[in-house]
Amino acid sequence: MMLTALLASFAITANAERVLYQETYEAGGVPTTWTANGTAGKVKLSLASTDASTILQWTGGGDNGRSAHDFWGTSIYEGVDAEEYSLQFEIRFDALGNNQFNGEVAIFADPDKCIMTNGTAGGGNWDPYAAKTNCLFSLVQTNNADNKQVWKINNDEGKPFTPNVGATGTWYCVTLTVNTKTKEVAYEIFDYDQSKAVATGVKTMADDAQMYATGLYLMAARYNALYSIDNLKVYLDIDWANKPVVALTGLDMAERTYTVNFLEGETLHFIGTDGEEKTISYDDVEEGSYIYTTSNSGTIRAWTTAGSMKSEEVTTEVDCSPITIPEPVSAIVSASEGYGKTYQFTIDNASITLQPTVFMDFTFESADGNSNFTLNDQNNGVKVNIPAKGKLTIKTKAKGYAEGTYTMMNDQEFELKHDINFQKYTAEDLTALGFQAMDDLDTEAMSGESNWTGRKRLYLDIKTGEKDGEGNELTTRHLVYGPTQTTNAENQKTETGAEAIKRMQFMQSKLEEGNAYKTMFAPLYIWHGIEGIKSPSSYFDIEYEDEGKTIIKKITPKTITVNTAKTGNVDFTSTAGSTNPKMYLGLGLCFSGSLNDEGNFDPTGAGYGNILLDNAPIGVDGLTDQDFIVVSTITDYGTGSIHPVYEAGTTVEAAKADYKSQTIGTSTAVYKGTETFTFHRVDEVLNHVLVLTPKSGSTGIETVNNYGKMVSDHNAPVYNLNGVQVNPNALTKGIYIKQGKKFIVR
């Protein structure tokens, strides 16, 4: 994409390279060799189009230091006996982290995989790839807020590099020449704006270092660092005719467009679907990209020549049949008694040629004719509320593709079987169950559990009756739960009108043998034995009433050894219980704790310390595959809660009373009756659990758009939110889709 003349003078000699590996990103889609590490929705690998090229971009979003890597492996060097090879990539620093300063760009030679080196929460010292034995080259950000724009070449304080960052950021070309015999890596950083090299040098590797580059590593510092990458390749400086790269880059009904890339110094030979052979020189097309468009199915063939050398021939089958956008997969994400349900519709872009942006139209015809509606041009992943019994017609579409039309019947009625409302439990209810009052959360400080008040996210708005200059209605915001005082600009405390969050904690000492089996929220089971602490097992008994019968589920207690800071190793019989459950009155159930706090736990004492409980399994006993569980949570310290807007004239008292009467959790998930679910520690509370069952002996949820198949097929493919299929056995933290249903890996 950059200046061809500059590349020729500084990095490429015409007809003098054999390409072993190359990424130009013109074919569309992030290459499968790339992996992002972090929270989906925050971290992102994506492609962006410029006037000159398609580029790859990486951002760590709002997470702490997060990394991504491209691993092409050692297979590209098979059959190569040259002692020296070269590597080149272009990079632009669009934004650097504004809260932490641990960015890095590295080329590594680890033969098996990338070694992840994510930054620490405080943005302090971390373990950069530059410190690894097999790091061939690195740029390491200076870990100092006042000096964050300066990077160190190969982590050397004496070799600074200061890139031009931001909206006018500069593209830099990094070229490495690696000598596998002398263990030397010569580097050059070329500045396209200045048309000159701004850094050169040689790094000598350790005697035991691997020398064949296997990947590119990127660390993005918090918050919202953004790097752009283009034109990555590994090559040999020898005369060669390389195979051309043939990629489908355009599609319009029965028309197909292919881009064929070849290098300077080579001549392209191309035979289209009509059988006509063409010879194209590098100077005949823009930067070695030949564009071919056809409406005829058949075979295209392409090869290059350079002097007396001829490349391997690339054969591509062309099918010009119009492609129909497939049927979306639906998942129930919310439900109520009767026929009311909310479905989420997802189309797997990875299965569609060129992964187009897809849209959907919905037409609902209710059985009684009173609830009909139409929705047009809805985005992939849209949630659609179906209020009544009836038929939903779905039209799937994308520019250049044939439309698909599909129907779905919403004809299954459900009734309420259990309603477990954690939000409504009172202090008296919880005291009777064995909970004990703790100190309140009422601070504006943002740390740990205090984020629940400090972030001020549990609020409502009331209209003032006035509008701004653009006609938007003005509102006043009122915290329902939050800091009871806040500091103003004059450093004075001011009352906010918010309530403190009252907390109660369940005490292990309450779990006596005589009442341990009486699970407090039965038939929902949460409490665990303490075996393993970090990976608690479900050793408990539960008792509950079901249709007038007392159901007792007995589990044999186990004796385990717990090491505590107070007493050392202690044998403890796990009768029942959880490691650290808390109730936030008015919000719900929370599991809190801190990493490395396990040593504070003392099962022989009256209480216990902050034991980490991360994603404890939770389920409802006595259900079948025909039932399903609707789980409401409040996520991210209150982000996933309702924020209702009330009409002008509504009193604050009346608005708050109405707010509290509603289920305020908005993060909803639906599970099969026999499934378990989890929620995260500290920053998430379990708000409300509903169990629905088929009414009047009907066939159950299996009839609702194959819901049973959707949740029970363990071998179904897994996709990320970009629609790219991923390895289900190597999932990093994030949000994924399986059979149309989202799930979280933490």
Side-chain angles (χ1 to χ4, degrees), residues 35 57 150 155 159 219 236 295 333 356 377 408 541 635 643:
T35 301
Q57 293 192 317
V150 178
N155 210 21
K159 296 180 179 179
M219 166 70 84
L236 302 177
S295 297
V333 295
D377 299 322
M408 186 188 81
D541 300 342
T635 57
H643 303 126

Side-chain angles (χ1 to χ4, degrees), residues 473-726:
E473 293 194 84
L474 299 176
T475 62
T476 56
R477 178 157 298 177
H478 302 274
L479 284 173
V480 181
Y481 301 103
T484 55
Q485 292 183 325
T486 187
T487 304
N488 61 23
E490 288 74 34
N491 203 33
Q492 297 176 331
K493 291 288 186 179
T494 304
E495 297 289 338
T496 67
E499 296 179 31
I501 297 176
K502 295 186 176 300
R503 297 186 296 170
M504 298 186 73
Q505 185 174 27
F506 186 77
M507 304 303 293
Q508 287 284 344
S509 59
K510 301 290 185 181
L511 288 174
E512 300 171 357
E513 188 172 351
N515 65 9
Y517 66 91
K518 294 181 183 295
T519 303
M520 51 203 67
F521 300 117
L524 183 135
Y525 54 87
I526 307 172
W527 316 120
H528 305 276
I530 309 137
E531 182 172 2
I533 296 182
K534 282 192 175 183
S535 301
S537 302
S538 302
Y539 297 122
F540 55 84
D541 300 342
I542 64 173
E543 176 184 302
Y544 61 94
E545 298 295 321
D546 186 21
E547 297 182 355
K549 297 180 180 180
T550 299
I551 308 297
I552 298 177
K553 183 176 180 179
K554 286 198 66 67
I555 303 294
T556 303
K558 289 197 173 184
T559 299
I560 59 170
T561 300
V562 178
N563 183 277
T564 77
K566 298 178 181 178
T567 60
N569 289 335
V570 176
D571 288 337
F572 178 67
T573 300
S574 171
T575 55
S578 170
T579 49
N580 207 17
K582 296 179 183 176
M583 288 287 291
Y584 295 163
L585 272 63
L587 302 182
L589 180 76
C590 178
F591 287 118
S592 62
S594 302
L595 289 169
N596 304 316
D597 276 348
E598 294 88 343
N600 294 330
F601 180 69
D602 182 4
T604 65
Y608 53 90
N610 287 324
I611 310 306
L612 173 66
L613 182 63
D614 206 353
N615 300 336
I618 301 170
V620 181
D621 198 52
L623 303 186
T624 71
D625 288 349
Q626 306 303 312
D627 304 308
F628 68 93
I629 309 166
V630 182
V631 178
S632 297
T633 57
I634 304 174
T635 57
D636 194 20
Y637 301 110
T639 297
S641 65
I642 62 171
H643 303 126
V645 179
Y646 294 91
E647 294 299 321
T650 306
T651 66
V652 175
E653 293 75 13
K656 286 187 176 182
D658 182 72
Y659 175 97
K660 293 177 182 180
S661 70
Q662 303 181 54
T663 295
I664 65 174
T666 61
S667 298
T668 306
V670 176
Y671 300 89
K672 201 174 183 177
T674 53
E675 289 185 303
T676 59
F677 57 92
T678 63
F679 67 99
H680 198 228
R681 64 182 181 92
V682 182
D683 65 344
E684 187 172 10
V685 297
L686 182 60
N687 180 247
H688 199 178
V689 176
L690 292 174
V691 178
L692 300 175
T693 192
K695 188 173 183 179
S696 304
S698 53
T699 55
I701 201 166
E702 299 284 351
T703 65
V704 184
N705 200 40
N706 293 321
Y707 178 84
K709 289 184 180 178
M710 182 179 65
V711 298
S712 63
D713 184 3
H714 298 295
N715 295 317
V718 176
Y719 302 92
N720 63 24
L721 291 183
N722 294 323
V724 177
Q725 187 171 345
V726 295

Side-chain angles (χ1 to χ4, degrees), residues 53-67:
S53 179
T54 299
I55 61 177
L56 182 140
Q57 293 192 317
W58 156 246
T59 179
D63 277 353
N64 291 322
R66 289 292 182 260
S67 60

